Amino acid sequence: MDPYVTDWLDLLLRWLHVVAGIVWIGTSFYFVAVDSHLRPTESEGEPADEAWEIHGGGFYRVVKLRGVPRELPRPLYWFKWEAYTTWLSGFALFVVLYYARADEALIDRGVADISQGTAIVVSIALLAAAWLVYDGLCRLLRGREALLAAAIVALVTATSYGLFELYAPRAAAIQLGAMLGTIMAANVFLVIIPAHRRLLQAPDPALGARGKQRSVHNNYLTLPVVFTMIAGHFPSVIGHVDAWAALVALMAVGAWIRVFFNLRHRGRNVWEIPVTAALAIAAIAVWLRPPEPQPAGRAVSFDEARAIVDGRCLSCHSGVSAAGGLRLDDDAVLRARARDVAHQVSTNAMPPGNATGMTDEERDLLVAWALTSDG
């Protein structure tokens, strides 16, 4: 495909994905907050719960009936297309950025020497398996939320380890996020919306409880999933030898932060949560900090560094369409960004999937040159 067309397709899909995700996450956060604010009342003689809010220059009275109203109002607003659009645009992005470029984006021969077809088929199968295993656990452990949470954490941890043994680091993080995102979207499509449709006919406490459970699960998964989407941009995380564990640890911090806000909506300020979250992030940052690189036994010239960059980096980092706007074909830019380049290659974050075959010796030479470069 024409690189210009690919670039615009990438831009539009990312834009759609981010906007839809913002709307979906916003509605999830809002309705969980509203549910936490509700207090018992009556509405037109029927038992209900209500919350009063102020926003946009006015007061809002939100009423949640405990049963089905005698007459359904029109229009009745549903919240589902935010989830569907987020997943569909995300999967389309996965196809364009990873499946269509599997040999350089999805696969790292230094991690696992698998074919493009195998990598793609396994990726798609894992998306389906994520939902099937999760849904099976929810049914099997119904009513035992603590045990269910522990089982999900264990599975996410094991999956993260397996993915980093199979795919390129950045692709592994995205795959894990895509699997959790698939669970979230399937919760909406296969559980929450069907429960709502059944509610139009008659209340079903079991279906209502199941839909509520999946809605809460989605709420806690949002921040971990968002982190997997951005983790690939940070070589300190995905380039670490234990990147799989670092990813899970930071995702857990995200879910822990959601616990704080959900409790706060219920009137409980558990300040120990943000404090422990901050301490955890600090500890993870110390853990992930790479050792200080050591200078080579000899001076490495700019010409040597330039030759390595020309052979291994310019396929992506040259011309006006250079990845990330980083034009390494410009000597001044290469000198100015020497430390950044060294950091990326020393953590194996670049080249993506080591598609250009950069050797360990070349990485060491670039780092040695950066250490002695005066810009």
Side-chain angles (χ1 to χ4, degrees), residues 4-144:
Y4 184 76
V5 174
T6 302
D7 196 41
W8 270 95
L9 185 59
D10 179 11
L11 169 64
L12 295 176
L13 284 174
R14 283 181 193 265
W15 197 0
L16 176 61
H17 186 58
V18 169
V19 170
I22 289 171
V23 177
W24 185 14
I25 293 171
T27 56
S28 171
F29 284 9
Y30 176 72
F31 278 110
V32 167
V34 166
D35 271 354
S36 299
H37 295 157
L38 293 171
R39 297 294 180 268
T41 186
E42 283 194 2
S43 178
E44 299 179 0
E46 296 184 26
D49 299 288
E50 71 173 12
W52 283 80
E53 301 176 345
I54 184 169
H55 181 75
F59 294 93
Y60 293 79
R61 183 189 179 195
V62 181
V63 178
K64 180 180 180 179
L65 301 180
R66 295 180 191 169
V68 179
R70 300 184 185 90
E71 183 177 344
L72 287 175
R74 291 290 185 268
L76 179 63
Y77 297 103
W78 296 69
F79 294 86
K80 55 184 179 178
W81 285 108
E82 303 90 340
Y84 303 161
T85 305
T86 301
W87 190 89
L88 290 170
S89 58
F91 184 74
L93 265 176
F94 211 172
V95 171
V96 171
L97 299 181
Y98 289 89
Y99 294 169
R101 302 165 50 237
D103 204 41
E104 60 183 274
L106 194 60
I107 300 169
D108 185 337
R109 303 294 176 190
V111 174
D113 190 9
I114 57 178
S115 69
Q116 295 185 52
T118 299
I120 294 170
V121 169
V122 170
S123 172
I124 295 173
L126 286 172
L127 296 180
W131 161 253
L132 293 174
V133 173
Y134 160 82
D135 186 58
L137 280 174
C138 287
R139 295 172 185 273
L140 180 65
L141 301 176
R142 182 177 299 143
R144 291 180 281 178

